[in-house]
Amino acid sequence: MLVISPVLTPDIALIDPKPGMVAFATDLTLPYPWYVHVIGLTLITLAILGFIKGIRTQEAWSLAAYIGFAFVLHIVIGFGLATFTYDLYLYAGHYFFAFFLLAARFIMHLRHVKVKKALLGLILLFVIVTLGNNVVKHDEALHVIERSYAQMNKESE
C-alpha cells in the first residue's frame, strides 16, 4: 500500500479514526483489482533493479535513503498510522519520486534496445491504465464525499 495506493487511487470510505475526528481514507474492505498489483509490483521491481544496477553510485543510495526514511517513519515508528490505521495513501509525497527515478535509471541504462523498447511500451500501457483508473476512482471518491456530507448534514438537522 505504501507504493501502490499513491499511484493508483484506491477506493475510499468515511472513517472515524478517533473521537471527534472524521476522515476519508482507503477502504480496506475492498480488494485491489489485479492490474493494480501488476503495476505496483512492476514499479517496485524496476526500482529495486535500478538500485542494484547503480549500487555503487551515490545517486542510487541517495534515492534509496528517501524510501528507507519513509519506511522507517511510517512502518517502523508508525508516524501517521496512529491516526489513520493502515492508510498509507496519504504518505507518498516525500519519497515517491525515488521509485520512479530508480526505475527510470534501470531502463535508461539497459543495453538491449528491444528490451528497453518493450519496457517503455509496458510503462506507456501502465500510464494509460493508471490514468483511466484514477479518473474513475477520483469520480467515485467525489461521490463518496458528496454522499457522506449530505448524510452528515441530514443527521445534524
Side-chain angles (χ1 to χ4, degrees), residues 40-148:
L41 292 174
T42 302
L43 177 61
I44 293 168
T45 302
L46 288 172
I48 290 169
L49 291 172
F51 176 73
I52 291 169
K53 192 163 183 87
I55 200 161
R56 292 189 175 136
T57 66
Q58 184 179 3
E59 177 187 353
W61 283 99
S62 296
L63 292 170
Y66 283 99
I67 297 169
F69 174 75
F71 181 80
V72 168
L73 184 65
H74 299 304
I75 303 299
V76 176
I77 296 173
F79 181 76
L81 292 179
T83 303
F84 301 104
T85 307
Y86 304 113
D87 190 21
L88 301 175
Y89 176 69
L90 305 170
Y91 307 132
H94 59 275
Y95 75 92
F96 204 62
F97 71 93
F99 279 96
F100 291 113
L101 290 175
L102 285 169
R105 188 179 203 298
F106 172 72
I107 293 172
M108 285 180 2
H109 288 96
L110 284 175
R111 295 174 203 250
H112 302 289
V113 177
K114 288 182 180 180
V115 174
K116 186 185 288 191
K117 284 184 179 182
L119 283 174
L120 288 175
L122 186 66
I123 295 296
L124 180 60
L125 176 66
F126 287 173
V127 167
I128 292 167
V129 170
T130 299
L131 177 64
N133 177 80
N134 289 351
V135 166
V136 169
K137 295 295 183 181
H138 280 243
D139 185 55
E140 290 174 4
L142 290 173
H143 289 297
V144 167
I145 292 167
E146 184 179 49
R147 283 192 309 268
S148 298

Side-chain angles (χ1 to χ4, degrees), residues 9-37:
T9 305
D11 292 299
I12 67 164
L14 183 68
I15 62 168
D16 299 318
K18 291 187 175 185
M21 182 181 219
V22 176
F24 293 99
T26 303
D27 189 348
L28 297 175
T29 63
L30 299 174
Y32 288 124
W34 64 271
Y35 62 87
V36 172
H37 294 290

